[in-house]
Amino acid sequence: MEKVNLFLKKHGMLPENTDPAAEAPKMAEEMKKGLRGEKCSLPMIPTYLGRADKIGSGRSAAVVDAGGTNFRSALVSFTGDGYKVEHLKKTKMPGTAEPAEWDEFISFAADEIMPLMDYTDCIGFCFSYSADITPEIDGRVRSIDKEVVLKNSEGKLVGKSLNDELNRRGVHGRKIVVINDTAAVMLGGAAVLDGGKYEDFIAQVSGTGTNTCCAVAEKDITKLELGSDRPMIINTESGMYDGLPMGDFDKALDSASLNPGLKHFEKMTAGVYLGSLCSLMLEAACEEGLICNETLNVLQKVEKPDGAVLDAWSCGERLEEVPDCDKETVQLISRALFCRSARFMCTNLGALMLLNGTGRNPEKPVCICAEGSLVQKSRVYRPELERLIDKYLKEKLGLNAVLLPVEESTLPGSAAAAILNC
């Protein structure tokens, strides 16, 4: 244990280096800069969407979900006691296996949504990439990341591109509302949960990528000059935050990525990067004599360890072929990455509550609607995040929140956004 901690400390990767209670106010100040339109690492993108109450029974919308790994389409209908998903289809996101053109992606999206056009005029387009939302609730692409390559996408309007393609195919009069996946998680939770139990809803996505969102008063979004007390959901794009120190392996991974110098927070926290970070750390551990060559050779049989493999290693599993003398070291290094990611996310969640002034009522905590493979599947990440929320946010900052993992909330959230704005 001591040797591993010294290794982590030497390379700037020790989870305990980060105190969420100390870092959350700093991140909240960066968020305020983003709301003012000042130069900073957090764009704080307005969604032009308000908080959602429960959707009336019988309302339906088609949904497109362009995620970091998968592409889904479905028809979502709200009922008196929830919602139902029909005609669900899932396939690989274009641009994952090999680069794709923006027009190819839009044509593909139209192919997938066409069978649903007989059921509704409303389309909710969940777009899990950086895009500026227009007052018409369309999305202008800033960048495509998460190791997805869609060429000639920058500056394109997502909804307009799809509507133009549908028009070319003879499908007219569709209203398309573009929403980020994290905002969809928040709206999805608010649309189906009992809002009376909670002071407010915020959302986090901790899976292939990392992001968070919350609602703030329009008058606090001074770059828009709206002046209203009405709440608007803000997509923080928190994966872009650069206020936390990077370790040696973070810097190495960033240099080798498709977008060096960007998305520092995401590269230190998201599932798509943790496996690569672990590989870099194990190679260095071998070079420095912390593990033997035989151990590294065994572990490298896994071409690129993903979140599931890391979670298994963190729990002491899938290490049968590793020499006994190195099993604990591999376990501790893997576990440290999850624990560090959880500390960073705890910082992020605290910053959101400091930003909008929620979380002070212990009788009605803030509900953190959480989705993604790390928070839903990892046996290490979620318990650690919940422990940190209690220790740092509640005990040190007086912020009361409950973490509630929600499954498939992007689908009802995107449908809610479309229905409320059609």
Side-chain angles (χ1 to χ4, degrees):
M1 170 72 82
E2 184 178 354
K3 288 183 178 180
V4 173
N5 282 341
L6 288 173
F7 171 79
L8 295 171
K9 185 176 182 180
K10 171 186 174 182
H11 292 287
M13 304 295 289
L14 191 67
E16 289 76 15
N17 283 349
T18 300
D19 180 342
E23 294 294 339
K26 300 175 187 177
M27 191 172 185
E29 287 303 313
E30 189 82 346
M31 291 176 175
K32 291 176 184 178
K33 289 181 181 178
L35 292 178
R36 294 194 293 264
E38 298 174 8
K39 185 177 180 180
C40 64
S41 61
L42 291 172
M44 302 297 286
I45 299 172
T47 66
Y48 294 91
L49 296 168
R51 291 191 182 100
D53 296 321
K54 288 187 178 293
I55 307 299
S57 180
R59 305 293 301 278
S60 300
V63 173
V64 172
D65 180 11
T69 303
N70 296 313
F71 182 101
R72 299 185 299 172
S73 59
L75 181 73
V76 178
S77 303
F78 288 91
T79 64
D81 55 357
Y83 67 96
K84 63 179 180 179
V85 177
E86 300 173 289
H87 309 289
L88 175 63
K89 185 177 179 183
K90 181 169 74 172
T91 185
K92 276 287 185 184
M93 175 68 188
T96 52
E98 58 184 15
E101 292 283 345
W102 175 256
D103 289 345
E104 292 179 73
F105 166 65
I106 291 299
S107 179
F108 174 86
D111 289 341
E112 299 300 302
I113 205 77
M114 282 290 289
L116 306 177
M117 293 297 90
D118 290 338
Y119 301 99
T120 179
D121 292 333
C122 297
I123 301 172
F125 199 133
C126 182
F127 190 69
S128 304
Y129 304 91
S130 183
D132 290 314
I133 303 301
T134 70
E136 298 76 29
I137 324 183
D138 202 344
R140 189 177 299 278
V141 179
R142 283 187 172 210
S143 63
I144 304 294
D145 46 37
K146 302 180 180 70
E147 307 303 293
V148 172
V149 180
L150 293 180
K151 296 185 288 186
N152 299 311
S153 60
E154 187 175 347
K156 295 296 177 64
L157 286 167
V158 179
K160 183 179 184 302
S161 295
L162 180 57
N163 232 337
D164 287 347
E165 179 63 24
L166 291 175
N167 287 336
R168 279 193 288 271
R169 300 181 183 205
V171 178
H172 304 285
R174 277 14 182 210
K175 169 66 176 177
I176 301 177
V177 171
V178 177
I179 183 172
N180 175 267
D181 59 341
T182 315
V185 169
M186 180 174 164
L187 275 179
V192 300
L193 295 173
D194 182 0
K197 293 182 179 180
Y198 309 107
E199 179 188 5
D200 197 10
F201 292 91
I202 61 178
Q204 72 169 100
V205 169
S206 295
T208 302
T210 300
N211 198 10
T212 56
C213 74
C214 68
V216 302
E218 289 183 351
K219 65 182 180 183
D220 292 331
I221 314 169
T222 53
K223 61 186 176 183
L224 296 184
E225 300 180 349
L226 296 176
S228 166
D229 287 325
R230 289 176 302 182
M232 181 190 293
I233 297 173
I234 295 294
N235 166 23
T236 68
E237 285 294 337
S238 56
M240 299 179 71
Y241 184 54
D242 63 6
L244 293 170
M246 299 174 71
D248 293 342
F249 307 111
D250 300 312
K251 295 172 184 177
L253 182 144
D254 177 60
S255 296
S257 69
L258 295 175
N259 54 351
L262 299 174
K263 293 273 189 173
H264 289 168
F265 189 85
E266 183 166 84
K267 289 171 183 173
M268 295 190 287
T269 57
V272 72
Y273 297 110
L274 292 184
S276 297
L277 278 175
C278 189
S279 295
L280 292 170
M281 292 170 73
L282 291 171
E283 289 171 7
C286 183
E287 291 175 4
E288 297 176 25
L290 200 61
I291 61 175
C292 66
N293 286 324
E294 181 184 350
T295 293
L296 185 62
N297 290 335
V298 168
L299 298 177
Q300 286 181 336
K301 290 180 182 177
V302 181
E303 289 186 15
K304 186 179 180 181
D306 57 14
V309 172
L310 246 61
D311 194 61
W313 290 353
S314 298
C315 296
E317 299 169 359
R318 302 193 194 182
L319 298 174
E320 293 83 3
E321 297 181 42
V322 172
D324 290 342
C325 60
D326 287 343
K327 286 181 178 178
E328 184 181 26
T329 299
V330 174
Q331 182 179 358
L332 292 174
I333 287 176
S334 302
R335 191 178 188 89
L337 283 168
F338 284 114
C339 292
R340 193 180 70 136
S341 178
R343 278 182 177 260
F344 291 167
M345 178 51 68
C346 182
T347 297
N348 192 163
L349 297 172
L352 293 177
M353 287 182 275
L354 292 174
L355 176 71
N356 67 7
T358 58
R360 299 299 181 182
N361 184 355
E363 301 301 318
K364 293 186 71 174
V366 171
C367 179
I368 304 166
C369 300
E371 187 165 309
S373 55
L374 291 185
V375 74
Q376 290 174 319
K377 297 179 181 180
S378 171
R379 291 164 290 174
V380 177
Y381 180 88
R382 177 184 170 187
E384 179 66 6
L385 179 55
E386 289 177 323
R387 183 186 74 82
L388 295 168
I389 288 171
D390 283 343
K391 179 177 179 179
Y392 289 95
L393 302 190
K394 184 176 182 179
E395 294 179 13
K396 292 191 175 185
L397 295 177
L399 301 175
N400 299 275
V402 57
L403 184 70
L404 185 62
V406 289
E407 293 189 17
E408 305 296 350
S409 57
T410 53
L411 295 177
S414 301
I419 291 168
L420 292 170
N421 292 280
C422 278

